[in-house]
Amino acid sequence: MRTDFDGAQLDLYWTFVRGPSTGLYSLSERPGYPRGKGNAATLDDIATPALVARRQQHLHTRIATRIDFAPAGPGQYAGLALRQNEANHYQLRIGGGKAPRRIQLVTGVQGATTVG
């Protein structure tokens, strides 16, 4: 299944952590490209991070995305995440700032987060 994000709203199969992420994303600023607004919450926190998610439906799945992201400073990231809960998640993210952009694999296993 492919999503082009060209509608005025997200389809019902898209979800968020702890309720709607009101104000944390936009579908209208650049049609066809969901634009994340970001906040200080991470996947480790019991909070509402700037995350638009979809539940995995099958044991075997392939996921791909195209990301147009130019971080303006340190601590800004965009990418893909596999999330079970605050203690267990994986992120493949793009980060950066004044230094060149970099791709990082972040693993959270039983509460211990490692950036590689």
Side-chain angles (χ1 to χ4, degrees):
M1 173 180 258
R2 178 186 166 126
T3 301
D4 290 320
F5 297 103
D6 53 1
Q9 302 182 59
L10 290 172
D11 290 317
L12 293 176
Y13 48 78
W14 291 99
T15 187
F16 310 95
V17 177
R18 284 184 197 76
S21 293
T22 306
L24 295 178
Y25 74 95
S26 170
L27 296 175
S28 61
E29 287 181 25
R30 186 175 175 199
Y33 294 82
R35 180 164 285 177
K37 299 296 186 167
N39 64 8
T42 71
L43 294 183
D44 296 325
D45 301 327
I46 298 175
T48 302
L51 174 74
V52 177
R54 180 149 180 202
R55 295 183 190 278
Q56 183 176 335
Q57 294 176 286
H58 308 284
L59 180 60
H60 300 285
T61 189
R62 237 167 79 170
I63 301 167
T65 188
R66 185 173 22 180
I67 298 175
D68 183 3
F69 176 64
Q76 294 184 351
Y77 304 98
L80 292 172
L82 297 172
R83 180 188 181 277
Q84 182 180 27
N85 53 36
E86 288 76 30
N88 299 286
H89 51 81
Y90 294 89
Q91 301 171 58
L92 183 59
R93 70 186 190 186
I94 301 167
K98 294 187 179 190
R101 291 189 301 177
R102 63 191 178 282
I103 297 175
Q104 300 173 318
L105 176 63
V106 180
T107 59
V109 179
Q110 296 181 345
T113 301
T114 305
V115 179

